[in-house]
Amino acid sequence: MFTAAFHTSRHYILFTAMACLCVLLGGPSYAAGAESLIIADATYYEPGVSGPGWAWTDAGHLELNGFSGEAIGAEGDLVVTLTGQNSVKEMQTSIVDISQCGLEVWGNLTLRGTGSLTATGSQCGIHAFQALVVDGCTVNAQGDGAGIEDEVAAGLVAGLLVVRGGGRVAATGGGSGSGVHACGAFLLDEDPGDGAPFGTLSVDASWLDATGADGGVGCLAGSLTSARFVAPSGGAFGARGVVDAGGAVATHVAIEPEGAAKPAGETGGRDVPGGGAGKSSAGASPAAGEPTTGPTANPTL
């Protein structure tokens, strides 16, 4: 994979300490829902609160319906149900809990529902320390690389990425700073030591379109179920990410369901060229609602 770093927040230190304690005690190393939520430029520690376009209904569940605002962050696992069109962008205020991302979750993140979400940030649009699952909804994530140096700038950053249920994901990473590695989707590759399939991509009968100057998808392995590579031609999973037929890392990766016809008026991603059937290597995908265990460090990959 690419040699690059990803930013570390104070939450990672706390999250790692909690995970280690849970392992020593023989219990699970993930929280049952979020312990806190940052949204609409405020921090909440108990669910049952709401505002324009959002409602934190219980510890593990946030509803967005026409929400448009600054960064959302959660400490712990979170399921976000999307209705209508929603957007979130990097926070411009001084809250230190969120840095350079539109949506950041220090745990497992599931995006689901019939709606859409556009997330933008200077380093990444969406960052999940563990699993990121996109289930049936439409996601557009962008990391523009503004002010970023010697780090990854990506649309999506996660321990592992699962796209299923007819979900549609478009991810773009950019940047011109010194040492920036721009990826569409970037999957963290440090093994937490518990068998969790970190660094893997899984697409099941869904769409993924990822673009970055240093790689469309940076991953260790992946699997396609009822899906195929549209770009690059002859695409496959390599040791550094998705590669073309010649073994070079592909800067544009497009995956679609097998036999899928491009729907009229599709807005979930960019148009992609036709291509041959793709190959895949074994990669695990988590069961519905089943989080992985143990966070990774923000590594030098």
Side-chain angles (χ1 to χ4, degrees):
M1 287 182 69
F2 310 106
T3 302
F6 196 77
H7 77 267
T8 303
S9 73
R10 67 182 181 84
H11 285 83
Y12 170 70
I13 300 171
L14 174 61
F15 198 91
T16 303
M18 293 175 64
C20 293
L21 178 60
C22 289
V23 170
L24 291 173
L25 295 177
S29 59
Y30 56 87
E35 297 179 9
S36 63
L37 178 73
I38 301 171
I39 189 170
D41 202 16
T43 302
Y44 301 91
Y45 297 95
E46 295 291 339
V49 292
S50 62
W54 66 274
W56 189 21
T57 56
D58 58 66
H61 188 207
L62 174 67
E63 296 179 354
L64 298 181
N65 186 351
F67 177 81
S68 178
E70 292 188 338
I72 296 175
E75 187 165 357
D77 302 329
L78 188 66
V79 175
V80 181
T81 299
L82 302 172
T83 304
Q85 297 181 347
N86 303 274
S87 65
V88 61
K89 61 183 179 180
E90 179 179 340
M91 187 172 291
Q92 301 301 312
T93 59
S94 59
I95 294 181
V96 298
D97 301 72
I98 299 179
S99 56
Q100 303 175 310
C101 298
L103 173 58
E104 188 166 11
V105 171
W106 301 285
N108 299 284
L109 171 62
T110 297
L111 300 173
R112 67 184 187 186
T114 59
S116 65
L117 175 66
T118 297
T120 58
S122 56
Q123 184 159 30
C124 64
I126 299 175
H127 179 204
F129 269 96
Q130 295 183 285
L132 170 58
V133 178
V134 177
D135 192 351
C137 56
T138 298
V139 174
N140 186 348
Q142 304 168 18
D144 60 24
I148 302 300
E149 293 185 355
D150 299 318
E151 294 184 355
V152 171
L156 297 174
V157 176
L160 61 147
L161 173 62
V162 178
V163 188
R164 65 190 185 198
R168 297 174 180 271
V169 175
T172 305
S176 57
S178 174
V180 169
H181 289 261
C183 300
F186 186 80
L187 305 183
L188 306 170
D189 69 349
E190 285 199 358
D191 186 351
D194 55 11
F198 268 57
T200 64
L201 167 69
S202 174
V203 179
D204 185 349
S206 298
W207 286 261
L208 172 67
D209 195 300
T211 302
D214 294 293
V217 175
C219 64
L220 296 178
S223 64
L224 303 183
T225 303
S226 300
R228 67 186 186 97
F229 285 111
V230 177
S233 179
F237 291 103
R240 296 183 298 157
V242 175
V243 298
D244 60 22
V249 173
T251 58
H252 176 214
V253 176
I255 298 170
E256 69 175 20
E258 290 180 347
K262 186 185 301 182
E266 178 182 69
T267 59
R270 61 185 66 81
D271 291 340
V272 293
K279 297 179 289 181
S280 64
S281 63
S285 61
E290 180 180 330
T292 62
T293 57
T296 73
N298 293 318
T300 297
L301 300 174

